[in-house]
Amino acid sequence: MSQQDERVAYFTSLCEQLYNPKSPEERLQVQKVLEQSFPTFTDTNGLLPDNTATAIHSFDIHSPTDTASALRILLESSPNPYVQIFALGRLKQLVQAQFALFNQESKIQLRSFLLQYAFMHPDLVPFVITHLATVLASLTLLGWAEIEQYRNVHKDILQFIQASVDHRIVGMQILAIMVQDINPPSFTRSASKFRKAAGEFRDTQLLDICETAYKTLEALVVQHSITTNSQQQEQRLQEVTLNLLTKCFSYDFNGTSVDESGEDVGILQIPASWRSFLENPEFLNTLFKAYDEFQPPYSSKVMECLVQVASVRKTLFNDQEERSRFVMRIMQGIRNIILTSRGLNDADSYNSFCRLLFRFRASVPLNEMVEKPGYMDWIELIADFSLKAFQSWKFTPTTSMYVLGFWARIVQSMTYYQQLGTAVVEKLGRITIELIRSYISTSVESVPTRIEEGLDDPLDNEESLIETLNMLGQIAHCKYEASSTAMISLFDPITVQYQELVMTIQQQMANNNTEGLKEALEVIETKFAWFVYIMASFIGNRSAFLNSVDLDKIDSEITTKVLQLMNVQQNLQSQHGNAFMNEKLDLGFIYFFQQFKKSYMSESNGRDIYSKLSKVFGVSDQIMMLDVIMRKIVSNLQSWGNNELLVQRTLELFNELAAGYGASKNLRKIETTRLILQNHMATEFAFCQSTNNKRQDENRILYFQVLCKLLFADDNVDERAFYEFMKPFDIRFSNLGPLDSIEAFRTESTRRALRDIFVDLCGFISPLQTRRHFILFFEWFYEGDYSSILLRAIEAWSPDPIVNSLLLFFVEFVHNKSQRLSFEVSSPNGILMFRDASQIICSFGQQMLNKQQQDMSIMENDVYDLKYKGIAACFNIMSKCLGGRYINFGVLWLYQDKAIEDALSMMIKLMLSIPMDDLLSFPKLSTAFFNFLDELTREELMAMPNIPSDAFVYIMQASEQGVESSDSVIRGHACTAIYNICSYLIKEAEKAEREKETTSPSTTTTISTPSIHIRRRSSIAGAHWLTAYIHHQYPQTLPTLMFTVFNLVLFDDNSDQWTLSRPLYGLVFLQRDYMVKYINAVIEQQLPERRAFVTTVNRISI
C-alpha cells in the first residue's frame, strides 16, 4: 500500500470515529486531530498548528491553498460518506475564513472541481450533495463580484439537466441549495456586498433556474417525456423539482434583510421580467395538474408552491385581462380541489390548501373577486369547506387560523368596498353567522374529547389562541347582533348544566361524596373558558371610531353573562376552597377584563355599556366596574399564589388598570385598592412569601411597581402616608432580629428574608420619577440604617448568586432616571451614595476574585450566574454613578477620598478577570461593560493615577471588538469610548504645544500650589500615562483602531455611519501619516481603470 493510500485509510478511519464515536471524549480528540491535520488558519495568526502527533500521516500544508488541495485529494480518494461530509464541511469553513487568500486561478479551479466531482458521482447520497451545494453557494456568494465564471450558475448546472435522470436530480438539488444559501434571511458580515450579489443573482440567474424547474415539472406531468428507472427515482425527481420551484418563489425579491417571503401575510414582489413566465396559460394548469397526479407528500409540496404563486403582486400584470385570467385560474383550481377533495385526506396538503385560501385573499381584493363570474357559488363552496374545516380540528389542528384569516379579510374589505351589491353583502352576512356558530360549537364540543384523550388544548397556548380569536371577533362584527345572539344561544344551555352541577356538588359535599364531580366540573368550566375568551374577542374588536348605542347594549349583555358566570364560580370557590378551581377559566376572565378596558374604559366611551350591568349588578360607571375587576384581582392573588402564570397575567391586568394619570387616580378611589395598599404584604398573597422562583420574583417586582404607581397617584401624598405604606418593610427588617455579626447574616432564614425584601424594594423604586418621591424613599432607607444592612449582607454573602438580587436593587437605587437624584448643591447625599457603591463593589469584587483563585472549576459550571451576572451588576452600578451627574467626583479626588480610587481599581480587576470571548458571548454582560466603558472614558479614566498596561490593552482591544459588534448599542458605546480617548489625547497634545510655545527657561516659575490634575496623574517620561501608552509602549493601537473603523465605514453595510464617524475624526487627526498610507493602499486595490477616478475623488475630498 502506497503512502497516499495509507494516509487516506488513516483519515477515513478518523472520520468514521468522528461521526460514530464511542464516547464524547473520543469525538473531541478525533476532531482535534482532524482540525490540526487540515487547518483553516483562523486561530493561528498565519502560523501552522502543532500536528507533530500526526505528522507521519499528514499532508504537507503551509497555506489555505494547501489545505484545499489536501481536502480535494481526500474527496477524490475515498467514497466513504463520512469522509465526504467532513471534507466538504471543512472546505466550507476554509472558504468562508480565507477566501481572500486564494488567488483567482485557485478559486476557479476549486469551483470547477466541485462541479466536476458532483457530475462524476451522481450516486452521492442526498445529504452529501447538500453539503457540496453549500460549499458552492459560499464560493459563489464570496466571489460573485470579482470572478465572472462564478456568475454562470445556471449554465454550469445545465450540463447536469441535459445528462441522465440521476444527473438532473443532482443538478436540481444543487440549484435549490444555492438559491436558498445565496439569499439567507440576513447576512452576518459584508451585508452590502452579499446583498448586491443576491440581487444580481436574482436579476440574471433566478428566472432561468425557475424556468428549468418548471420545464422539468411540465415534462413529468404534461409531456411525460422523462423516463425513469424506478418509482423511487421518479419520486426523487418530483421532490427536487418541487423543492427548487418553492425555493425560487420563496426568494427575497425585495432585497431586504427580512425573510418577508416566508410570512403568511406577505405579497410576493416578483420582478417584471417574470411577467411572461407567469402569464403563460399553462403554468397554473400544470401546477394544479401536478397536485392532482402526485401522491403525498409531493402533493403538499405542489400546494406550497401554489401558495407562493397565489401571492404575486397585482401590478406584475400589464393589463386587467391578464390579471383577471390569472385570478380566475386560481379560483377555478380551488373550486375543483374542494369539489373533488383531491389530496385533502393528507394533513399537510389540507393545511397548505387552507394557507392557499388565506394568501390568495390577502393578495386579491374583495371587489376583484366579486366581479368574477360564478363568485357566489365559489364563495358558497369556500363557506362549506370552512365549516367542515372547523369540524376537522382533530385531523388538522392548525387550519382554523388560516380559514378564519380568510373570512376576517373578507369582512374587513366589506367596510371599504361599498359597491359590492346587496346580494353579495347579504350572502356574506349569512355566511359569517354560520361560521361563528360552527366555530364556537365545534370548539366547545371538542373539550371532552381533548380532556379524555389528552390532546393538545388551544387554551394552553394563549398567544396563538388570542391571534385566532381576534379574527373571529372581526368576523362577528359583520353581523354583530346576530352573531352575539348565536353565541349566547350556545352559552345559555351550558349555564343551566353548570347550575345543576353546582347544586349537585353542594349536596354531595355534605355527604362527603364528590367522586366524578370534579371531572364533570372541569369539562364544563373549560367550555366556559372558551366562551369567555370568545366573548372577550367580541368586545375587544369594537371599532374605536364606531360609537353605537346598539353595539354597546349588546356588549353590556355579554359582559353581564361573564360577570354572572364569575360570581357563580367565586361562590363555589368561597364555599369549597381550592378544590374546584379552574386555571383556564380564570385566565379567560383576566383576558376578558383586559379587552373590556381597551374598549370601554376611556373618557370617550359612552355609558350605554352599563345599561344591563346597572340593572343586574348595580354597576353604572367606570369606578364601579373597576371595583369589580379589583375584587377579582385580589381573589386571584389570594387563591392562585403558587401559580406563576396566573399571578403574572393578573398583575399585568393590574398594571394596565394603573397605567396613565387618570386611570391610576380612578383606581386610587376604590376601597379595594386602598386595602391592598394598607395590607400589601398580607399572608394571603402566597406569591409574596419567601420563594426561590425566578418567575415569582418577576411577579413580585411587577406587583410593587404597580403599588408604587398607585401610592403616588395622589398628588398630595405626604410623609405620613408614605411611612405608613413602608411600615410592613420596617416590620420585616425588625423581625430579622439583631444582625450584629457576619454569622447572623449567613443563616438561611436571614438570607432568604433579606433577599426577598430587596427584590420587593427594587420593584418599588423603579417607577419613581420625581425628586420629591425619591427623597422620601432615600430618607426612609438611610434613616432606618437599612443601607448598612445591605452593605453587610453583600459582605457576608459574596460571591454567592443570592447576592445578585441585592446588587440589582442598588443598580436601580443609584439610577438617576428623570433627574430624581438631583440633590441640593450643599447636600452630601451623592457622596454618601457613592461611598456605599464603592464599598459594595470592592466587597463583592474582592470575594469574587478570591473565590475564583481558590476554585476555578466551580465558576466553570454556571459561569454567568456565579460570576458574570454579579460583575455585570457592578458595571451597571458604576456606569449609573458616573453618568448620573449627581456625584461631585472632583471633591473625592481633591480630598484624596479612597472611595473613587478603590472602586475604579476594583472595576479594572473585575474587567481583567473576564476573557474577551466571554465578554462578547453574554449579551447582558457586554452591554453593561461597554456602557461602563463609555462613562469611564468621559473623564474618570484619565483622572486615575495610572492603570496596568494589561488593563490598557484590554480596554483598547475591547473597544475594537465593540466597534465590530452587530449590536448597535454596543457599537455606539465603543465608538464613544474611542472618541473620548482621542479627544483627550488631542487636548493634551494641544496643551503641550501651547506650553512649549509660551514657556522658556528664563521665564519658568515654580508653582507650589497643589493642583488636582498634578496629583491625579502619574507621569511616564513626563507625560500622562495614557499618552505614554499610546505613543511609546503601544504605538500600533490607534492605527489598528483606525483600520477597523475605516473598513466598517467603507466596506460594511450598516446604519451606524454617524456613530462610526465620531471616533474617526479623532483617529485621523492623531494618525495623519497612517491615514495617507491606508488611502493609498485602498487605491492600489482598485481595478486599474478605476484608480485614477478614485485618486481624483480622494484629492477633492481632502
Side-chain angles (χ1 to χ4, degrees):
M1 182 181 292
S2 67
Q3 183 179 3
Q4 181 80 356
D5 293 337
E6 290 180 0
R7 185 183 293 141
V8 171
Y10 170 73
F11 285 117
T12 299
S13 174
L14 286 180
C15 290
E16 290 178 348
Q17 293 178 48
L18 178 67
Y19 295 106
N20 294 293
K22 297 178 181 178
S23 65
E25 292 76 15
E26 183 187 42
R27 185 183 187 283
L28 290 174
Q29 183 178 2
V30 170
Q31 182 177 351
K32 184 178 179 181
V33 172
L34 286 170
E35 288 177 351
Q36 289 179 345
S37 301
F38 301 94
T40 59
F41 299 88
T42 53
D43 300 321
T44 58
N45 299 318
L47 300 176
L48 285 174
D50 181 16
N51 59 350
T52 53
T54 60
I56 189 171
H57 296 294
S58 294
F59 292 91
D60 187 19
I61 295 176
H62 300 282
S63 68
T65 305
D66 295 337
T67 302
S69 300
L71 291 169
R72 285 179 55 177
I73 293 172
L74 202 60
L75 275 172
E76 291 173 329
S77 304
S78 176
N80 191 307
Y82 295 126
V83 174
Q84 294 166 344
I85 289 295
F86 167 75
L88 291 169
R90 196 63 174 166
L91 195 57
K92 181 180 178 181
Q93 294 175 1
L94 180 69
V95 166
Q96 291 179 337
Q98 308 293 355
F99 183 78
L101 299 183
F102 289 88
N103 58 45
Q104 186 154 339
E105 183 180 356
S106 297
K107 295 173 183 177
I108 296 173
Q109 288 179 354
L110 181 58
R111 184 170 180 274
S112 300
F113 162 75
L114 291 172
L115 289 170
Q116 184 179 4
Y117 183 81
F119 191 85
M120 296 299 294
H121 301 84
D123 56 342
L124 290 173
V125 291
F127 61 84
V128 174
I129 300 173
T130 299
H131 278 71
L132 186 145
T134 59
V135 183
L136 279 171
S138 296
L139 280 169
T140 302
L141 198 57
L142 290 164
W144 182 274
E146 58 183 270
I147 303 175
E148 184 178 355
Q149 289 87 336
Y150 278 23
R151 299 194 284 270
N152 298 323
V153 175
H154 178 257
K155 181 180 177 182
D156 292 335
I157 303 297
L158 203 58
Q159 60 178 328
F160 290 80
I161 308 300
Q162 296 169 349
S164 67
V165 175
D166 285 336
H167 284 89
R168 184 187 289 258
I169 292 172
V170 172
M172 302 282 270
Q173 185 176 353
I174 291 174
L175 285 175
I177 298 297
M178 292 187 71
V179 169
Q180 173 184 281
D181 287 4
I182 286 177
N183 181 236
S186 61
F187 296 100
T188 56
R189 58 189 180 91
S190 304
S192 177
K193 173 184 175 182
F194 293 156
R195 184 60 62 190
K196 182 178 180 182
E200 292 181 359
F201 179 86
R202 172 201 63 202
D203 297 336
T204 62
Q205 303 293 313
L206 191 60
L207 178 57
D208 293 335
I209 293 172
C210 191
E211 287 179 336
T212 297
Y214 169 69
K215 289 176 182 177
T216 302
L217 182 66
E218 192 176 37
L220 284 169
V221 175
V222 180
Q223 302 167 357
H224 301 287
S225 57
I226 298 180
T227 304
T228 55
N229 299 329
S230 63
Q231 184 179 4
Q232 182 181 4
Q233 189 183 54
E234 181 181 5
Q235 291 176 347
R236 181 81 179 115
L237 183 58
Q238 291 175 1
E239 179 184 3
V240 296
T241 302
L242 294 171
N243 190 36
L244 178 55
L245 268 176
T246 305
K247 297 295 183 187
C248 289
F249 283 108
S250 300
Y251 201 85
D252 181 11
F253 295 100
N254 285 337
T256 62
S257 296
V258 182
D259 186 17
E260 295 176 351
S261 319
E263 297 293 335
D264 282 317
V265 295
I267 302 297
L268 213 60
Q269 302 295 331
I270 289 184
S273 57
W274 290 48
R275 182 180 296 117
S276 59
F277 175 60
L278 288 174
E279 288 180 350
N280 180 1
E282 295 303 319
F283 174 68
L284 284 173
N285 295 338
T286 301
L287 288 177
F288 280 111
K289 188 173 182 182
Y291 175 78
D292 288 338
E293 294 186 2
F294 289 178
Q295 297 297 316
Y298 310 112
S299 59
S300 65
K301 291 183 177 295
V302 179
M303 188 55 68
E304 287 179 18
C305 190
L306 281 166
V307 169
Q308 298 292 339
V309 173
S311 307
V312 297
R313 59 188 176 95
K314 182 179 180 180
T315 53
L316 175 68
F317 301 91
N318 271 334
D319 53 62
Q320 188 59 34
E321 289 185 7
E322 285 294 339
R323 168 68 176 177
S324 180
R325 282 194 288 268
F326 181 83
V327 172
M328 279 296 299
R329 290 190 197 103
I330 295 180
M331 292 176 66
Q332 185 64 35
I334 290 173
R335 176 181 178 277
N336 293 338
I337 291 173
I338 294 177
L339 289 175
T340 61
S341 298
R342 179 67 179 174
L344 297 183
N345 57 345
D346 175 63
D348 291 335
S349 298
Y350 195 97
N351 190 63
S352 296
F353 179 70
C354 293
R355 285 187 62 216
L356 172 64
L357 292 176
F358 180 75
R359 291 288 291 270
F360 180 61
R361 172 59 197 90
S363 60
V364 181
L366 177 61
N367 63 332
E368 188 177 352
M369 287 196 296
V370 169
E371 66 187 17
K372 300 295 181 289
Y375 171 77
M376 298 294 280
D377 294 334
W378 184 81
I379 200 68
E380 186 72 42
L381 276 175
I382 302 296
D384 292 339
F385 172 81
S386 301
L387 297 176
K388 294 176 182 176
F390 294 152
Q391 297 168 3
S392 304
W393 60 269
K394 199 172 180 180
F395 174 58
T396 51
T398 60
T399 55
S400 294
M401 183 179 69
Y402 298 117
V403 174
L404 289 174
F406 173 86
W407 290 105
R409 287 180 175 272
I410 291 282
V411 171
Q412 290 172 356
S413 300
M414 291 174 66
T415 308
Y416 303 107
Y417 299 113
Q418 305 298 328
Q419 308 299 325
L420 295 177
T422 306
V424 173
V425 172
E426 290 180 355
K427 182 78 168 179
L428 293 175
R430 289 195 301 271
I431 289 174
T432 57
I433 297 169
E434 286 302 315
L435 289 170
I436 294 295
R437 181 182 289 108
S438 175
Y439 181 83
I440 296 175
S441 61
T442 302
S443 299
V444 171
E445 291 168 3
S446 69
V447 169
T449 306
R450 293 183 190 276
I451 293 176
E452 290 173 9
E453 300 183 13
L455 302 176
D456 290 339
D457 190 348
L459 293 171
D460 292 331
N461 187 353
E462 191 179 56
E463 183 178 354
S464 176
L465 176 69
I466 290 172
E467 182 181 358
T468 301
L469 293 183
N470 276 337
M471 300 174 189
L472 187 73
Q474 293 168 10
I475 297 170
H477 275 266
C478 177
K479 291 288 184 179
Y480 194 51
E481 183 175 0
S483 297
S484 301
T485 302
M487 176 183 62
I488 293 173
S489 68
L490 296 169
F491 178 85
D492 287 340
I494 301 178
T495 304
V496 175
Q497 298 175 22
Y498 189 48
Q499 291 172 342
E500 293 174 352
L501 183 59
V502 169
M503 292 176 62
T504 304
I505 288 174
Q506 292 172 348
Q507 294 171 1
Q508 297 294 337
M509 287 292 288
N511 301 327
N512 294 324
N513 181 17
T514 60
E515 185 177 354
L517 295 178
K518 198 167 185 179
E519 290 77 9
L521 188 65
E522 181 186 6
V523 171
I524 290 185
E525 289 191 338
T526 305
K527 290 181 178 180
F528 276 134
W530 272 101
F531 275 111
V532 173
Y533 273 108
I534 291 169
M535 290 173 169
S537 71
F538 277 35
I539 287 181
N541 276 280
R542 178 183 186 272
S543 299
F545 58 84
L546 186 61
N547 194 359
S548 169
V549 174
D550 295 333
L551 294 181
D552 290 352
K553 289 181 178 179
I554 295 171
D555 286 346
S556 181
E557 184 175 358
I558 292 174
T559 306
T560 301
K561 296 284 185 183
V562 172
L563 294 187
Q564 288 173 331
L565 172 63
M566 188 178 72
N567 282 347
V568 174
Q569 191 230 20
Q570 291 286 95
N571 291 334
L572 182 65
Q573 182 178 326
S574 63
Q575 294 174 11
H576 306 292
N578 298 343
F580 298 104
M581 293 168 60
N582 189 291
E583 176 187 356
K584 296 173 183 176
L585 182 55
D586 274 328
L587 286 171
F589 287 135
I590 293 170
Y591 179 65
F592 179 86
F593 288 133
Q594 287 175 326
Q595 297 305 298
F596 185 90
K597 177 191 178 298
K598 182 182 77 172
S599 296
Y600 287 104
M601 285 191 171
S602 65
E603 297 178 1
S604 61
N605 297 133
R607 298 172 61 87
D608 296 296
I609 182 64
Y610 302 105
S611 58
K612 184 73 176 289
L613 290 170
S614 61
K615 295 176 183 178
V616 179
F617 297 103
V619 177
S620 57
D621 56 29
Q622 287 189 28
I623 302 298
M624 300 180 74
M625 189 64 188
L626 276 173
D627 189 46
V628 172
I629 299 174
M630 281 303 303
R631 288 201 302 270
K632 180 59 179 173
I633 287 175
V634 172
S635 174
N636 282 358
L637 295 180
Q638 291 174 336
S639 305
W640 292 98
N642 296 320
N643 188 311
E644 298 94 343
L645 176 62
L646 210 144
V647 170
Q648 178 188 347
R649 293 286 187 268
T650 302
L651 291 173
E652 287 172 354
L653 171 62
F654 193 15
N655 191 37
E656 289 178 18
L657 294 176
Y661 179 75
S664 59
K665 290 182 75 68
N666 287 336
L667 204 58
R668 193 79 159 79
K669 298 174 185 177
I670 299 172
E671 182 64 24
T672 308
T673 306
R674 290 197 289 268
L675 289 174
I676 290 181
L677 289 173
Q678 294 168 8
N679 303 278
H680 54 81
M681 285 304 300
T683 55
E684 291 85 354
F685 296 156
F687 77 97
C688 280
Q689 307 311 310
S690 184
T691 178
N692 194 25
N693 188 312
K694 183 178 179 181
R695 289 187 64 179
Q696 288 290 43
D697 286 348
E698 294 171 355
N699 289 338
R700 294 172 66 148
I701 289 174
L702 178 58
Y703 174 63
F704 281 97
Q705 286 175 347
V706 179
L707 293 184
C708 178
K709 294 176 186 177
L710 294 176
L711 177 65
F712 293 108
D714 185 356
D715 296 332
N716 299 318
V717 64
D718 55 10
E719 290 187 18
R720 181 177 179 182
F722 173 76
Y723 278 90
E724 191 67 27
F725 178 86
M726 300 304 293
K727 188 174 292 184
F729 286 102
D730 293 325
I731 295 173
R732 292 167 70 184
F733 275 115
S734 63
N735 288 340
L736 296 175
L739 300 174
D740 50 5
S741 66
I742 293 295
E743 288 70 23
F745 279 91
R746 289 175 177 168
T747 62
E748 187 61 26
S749 59
T750 302
R751 281 158 53 94
R752 293 297 175 190
L754 275 177
R755 173 193 168 279
D756 293 342
I757 290 173
F758 284 105
V759 166
D760 297 342
L761 289 177
C762 181
F764 178 77
I765 65 174
S766 65
L768 293 176
Q769 300 290 333
T770 66
R771 177 179 177 274
R772 185 173 72 88
H773 294 160
F774 189 84
I775 290 297
L776 285 174
F777 179 84
F778 181 89
E779 292 175 350
W780 170 83
F781 188 68
Y782 276 97
E783 287 174 3
D785 199 27
Y786 302 135
S787 61
S788 63
I789 294 178
L790 173 67
L791 297 175
R792 298 186 68 189
I794 291 176
E795 180 185 356
W797 301 347
S798 297
D800 193 291
I802 197 172
V803 84
N804 294 336
S805 300
L806 278 62
L807 294 173
L808 293 176
F809 161 77
F810 207 76
V811 171
E812 187 62 44
F813 184 64
V814 297
H815 189 189
N816 189 19
K817 62 174 69 171
S818 302
Q819 298 301 307
R820 65 184 186 182
L821 290 174
S822 298
F823 300 117
E824 298 293 339
V825 175
S826 59
S827 172
N829 291 343
I831 302 293
L832 177 64
M833 291 179 69
F834 183 75
R835 283 182 171 176
D836 287 348
S838 176
Q839 187 174 342
I840 287 172
I841 290 171
C842 292
S843 177
F844 170 81
Q846 191 58 56
Q847 295 188 63
M848 170 63 70
L849 296 174
N850 292 341
K851 184 73 172 179
Q852 182 173 325
Q853 291 177 354
Q854 293 170 6
D855 192 351
M856 186 64 188
S857 61
I858 297 178
M859 295 291 184
E860 293 175 353
N861 295 331
D862 192 358
V863 69
Y864 182 75
D865 284 337
L866 294 176
K867 178 181 178 183
Y868 293 148
K869 190 173 184 179
I871 293 179
C874 291
F875 284 143
N876 284 325
I877 290 172
M878 202 64 193
S879 61
K880 296 290 188 292
C881 290
L882 294 173
R885 304 296 184 265
Y886 60 91
I887 303 170
N888 192 336
F889 290 104
V891 172
L892 295 173
W893 286 113
L894 179 63
Y895 291 100
Q896 301 182 24
D897 192 316
K898 289 293 184 181
I900 178 66
E901 190 170 348
D902 290 347
L904 292 177
S905 297
M906 180 53 65
M907 295 306 300
I908 295 295
K909 293 178 182 177
L910 290 174
M911 176 187 73
L912 292 175
S913 72
I914 308 172
M916 191 66 68
D917 290 341
D918 285 1
L919 178 66
L920 300 172
S921 298
F922 298 98
K924 291 184 179 179
L925 175 64
S926 55
T927 301
F929 170 77
F930 283 102
N931 187 21
F932 162 70
L933 189 62
D934 182 345
E935 299 294 345
L936 178 67
T937 54
R938 292 180 189 273
E939 183 177 358
E940 301 311 317
L941 177 66
M942 296 71 172
M944 294 180 68
N946 200 354
I947 66 170
S949 59
D950 55 346
F952 168 78
V953 172
Y954 189 99
I955 289 173
M956 303 312 292
Q957 288 179 347
S959 298
E960 182 181 1
Q961 295 287 333
V963 167
E964 294 179 315
S965 172
S966 58
D967 188 321
S968 59
V969 175
I970 292 177
R971 175 177 288 185
H973 287 313
C975 288
T976 304
I978 298 172
Y979 170 79
N980 293 335
I981 292 172
C982 290
S983 298
Y984 182 80
L985 292 171
I986 292 171
K987 291 176 182 178
E988 286 292 297
E990 292 175 347
K991 182 178 178 181
E993 286 294 327
R994 288 196 303 271
E995 291 177 354
K996 185 177 180 180
E997 292 174 359
T998 58
T999 305
S1000 63
S1002 60
T1003 59
T1004 301
T1005 305
T1006 303
I1007 301 176
S1008 59
T1009 305
S1011 167
I1012 179 174
H1013 293 286
I1014 293 174
R1015 286 205 313 271
R1016 281 161 53 183
R1017 55 169 72 166
S1018 173
S1019 296
I1020 302 177
H1024 187 274
W1025 58 265
L1026 181 59
T1027 305
Y1029 279 146
I1030 290 288
H1031 295 303
H1032 300 292
Q1033 290 186 241
Y1034 304 100
Q1036 290 302 313
T1037 301
L1038 293 185
T1040 302
L1041 286 173
M1042 179 186 289
F1043 177 82
T1044 301
V1045 176
F1046 247 131
N1047 278 355
L1048 290 171
V1049 171
L1050 294 178
F1051 305 117
D1052 193 47
D1053 181 27
N1054 59 73
S1055 57
D1056 298 326
Q1057 294 291 331
W1058 184 86
T1059 303
L1060 292 168
S1061 68
R1062 294 195 70 202
L1064 190 58
Y1065 175 76
L1067 291 168
V1068 169
F1069 188 90
L1070 293 168
Q1071 295 288 321
R1072 295 182 182 87
D1073 294 341
Y1074 183 80
M1075 181 195 69
V1076 173
K1077 293 180 181 178
Y1078 178 87
I1079 292 175
N1080 290 336
V1082 171
I1083 294 173
E1084 287 298 320
Q1085 292 177 359
Q1086 302 300 310
L1087 295 173
E1089 58 270 20
R1090 288 179 53 86
R1091 288 176 188 168
F1093 172 75
V1094 176
T1095 303
T1096 304
V1097 171
N1098 176 54
R1099 289 173 180 171
I1100 294 173
S1101 62
I1102 293 176

